Structure formats: C-alpha cells, structure tokens
Amino acid sequence: EAGVTQSPTHLIKTRGQQVTLRCSPISGHTSVYWYQQALGLGLQFLLWYDEGEERNRGNFPPRFSGRQFPNYSSELNVNALELEDSALYLCASSLTTGGASYNSPLHFGNGTRLTVT
Amino acid sequence: GQNIDQPTEMTATEGAIVQINCTYQTSGFNGLFWYQQHAGEAPTFLSYNVLDGLEEKGRFSSFLSRSKGYSYLLLKELQMKDSASYLCARGGGATNKLIFGTGTLLAVQP
C-alpha cells in the first residue's frame, strides 16, 4: 500500500510569507496528525484531524491552522512566517482516532523541510 | 520533549546489545511507543506497550513499567543500519495525541 505522502519535500520562504503544506494519508486512514520537528526539540504536536474535524491542537499560535478534506487528505497552513518556523513538518495518519493502540500506530510521511529566511 | 526524558546520544559496537531508557509523566498515560528515525527519513513504528512487561520482536524488545513511568528499548546483535534516532512517545490519554521525547541518537561503530 502507498504510504503517507507529503508535498512539497522542500520549501524556502521569507519571513512574513504564508505557506501551505499538503498530506495524503494511507488509504483507509481517517485520522491525520501534524508534527513539527525543529532541530534539537523533537517532534512537537501541532494538529489532529479526524473525519474532517479538528480534534485537538498543540501549543502553537493561531497562525498555524489547517483542514482535512472529505477524502481525508489534509493541509497545514502557516501565516506570517517567522524564522523559528524553520523545521521539518511531519504528517502522520492512523487507522482509528486513537493512534495509541497496537492496531493503529501513527504512520509518518517523509515530511516537508521548511526553511524561513 | 514534553514530560518525556531519554538520553540524547548513545554509542555502541556492532554485534553488541544496547538499552535505551525513557521516563515519562504517568498522568493520562495511554500506551508507550518507540519509533526509529534515520536521518532525513520519516519515523517508523517499532513497538507499543500498554501493559507492564517485555514485548519481544526479533532483535528489538521493549519494556514497560507503568508504576515507575519507565520504558526501555533493547536492541540486540546491533548492526550498522541500526544507527538512527530512537523516539520514545507516550499516548496522551483523552487528547489522543502522541507526546514525543527528543529522541536518542544511537551510533553503531564497527
């Protein structure tokens, strides 16, 4: 089966610009998660979508937003980019809403590397 | 990582055994995951523990003690390809999100 796919793979933006990252989950997965992986900070939870609804968000400002489409793909939007937004943005999907059981671990995409200059 | 502690770096020798420890905050606990992440690649799922004890999967085993808020990942017969970052992640209870540690970068030397 095809894995989680993310686009683009790399992106360079300047401070103040806006960016949209895209994610397609594994077929049949309804839950999509977004994580930020900045250097030395580990994966930080951003957003969780399930069945088109935002279910939870992490400790990030409102300029980080997103949505999930009827086909379960998802977008992450970041407005007013700041230098510290430079990071690897990882999307993950799971079979059930939990993502915390053996039968439905998170499956990650290869991420989008965002550089803000 | 938020309320999760694991060593930053470890070094081990090819063919040896290495244990990577992880401690976490026990409130709202809902399962403990281990992921492997090679440089420039996506994290891949290794193991999941929700009950106390040892789960063995080939060369990799994972242990959990819920009362102590402690887990470890045991890698046996180390191979060079095991050089990677190993991420401990805790299921976040009602919030249904995984909280990750900062990862342990393991370097396997010949």
Side-chain angles (χ1 to χ4, degrees), chain B residues 28-100:
Chain B
F29 175 75
N30 188 17
L32 196 290
F33 291 76
W34 284 95
Y35 281 80
Q36 180 192 60
Q37 187 178 25
H38 285 101
E41 298 182 10
T44 55
F45 170 72
L46 286 178
S47 69
Y48 168 72
N49 294 72
V50 68
L51 300 176
D52 291 349
L54 188 68
E55 294 278 345
E56 297 188 69
K57 257 173 132 178
R59 294 190 299 115
F60 292 6
S61 303
S62 56
F63 172 83
L64 178 68
S65 169
R66 289 173 295 171
S67 62
K68 295 181 180 177
Y70 167 68
S71 173
Y72 67 72
L73 181 69
L74 193 70
L75 291 75
K76 303 175 188 174
E77 301 169 17
L78 280 171
Q79 301 175 9
M80 298 299 291
K81 66 178 182 179
D82 296 331
S83 294
S85 186
Y86 290 86
L87 310 175
C88 172
R90 194 204 80 171
T95 58
N96 284 335
K97 68 185 185 189
L98 287 191
I99 301 169
F100 283 84

